[in-house]
Amino acid sequence: MRRFESFPAVAVAIAGLGSLAAWPFLDGGAHRAVVGGAALALGTQLATHFLLRAWRARNDRFPAAILAGFAMRVAAVIVGVLVFALPRRAEPVPFLLSLGAFLIALLAAEAVLELRRLRDAIPAGS
């Protein structure tokens, strides 16, 4: 039986709850900007998680997986700036703050879940 992937569920929860937590403090344009930043961060993190999973599992490819994940996150920030913030399709400050905050929060959550998964995979007494 295939094991349950907890990271996608946790990532969607973080993006949704983070957007909802910011809701009372923002106006209409900023709401859309925060949701847009959360969506871009969520899409980026889920893509890196699934695309680089095989590389992270191999010792010889792990450094390449880390660099590729970093490059994908930098690309997401650049796309966010060029496509949404500069042309003012979204309010720049809330969009970029939410994008950065969600990227960091999702990255930390993925690291904690991966560490827990690896720790549980090691036999006791090893």
Side-chain angles (χ1 to χ4, degrees):
M1 188 159 128
R2 194 168 169 209
R3 70 177 176 83
F4 174 71
E5 281 285 337
S6 59
F7 177 68
V10 170
V12 169
I14 288 172
L17 293 174
S19 296
L20 284 175
W23 203 265
F25 306 105
L26 304 170
D27 65 351
H31 288 152
R32 288 187 300 279
V34 168
V35 170
L40 182 56
L42 183 62
T44 302
Q45 280 299 125
L46 289 177
T48 58
H49 177 76
F50 289 114
L51 291 173
L52 299 175
R53 179 178 17 195
W55 279 17
R56 285 191 319 261
R58 292 180 49 184
N59 287 340
D60 61 329
R61 297 259 175 118
F62 185 77
I66 298 298
L67 289 174
F70 178 76
M72 289 175 74
R73 289 173 189 98
V74 169
V77 171
I78 291 170
V79 165
V81 168
L82 295 177
V83 173
F84 297 106
L86 285 179
R88 298 207 139 320
R89 289 187 178 120
E91 289 190 34
V93 173
F95 177 79
L96 293 174
L97 285 175
S98 69
L99 176 61
F102 283 118
L103 281 174
I104 291 169
L106 294 172
L107 181 62
E110 182 181 23
V112 167
L113 291 172
E114 280 292 308
L115 179 64
R116 194 172 80 194
R117 183 188 65 76
L118 291 173
R119 186 186 63 216
D120 292 345
I122 297 173
S126 293

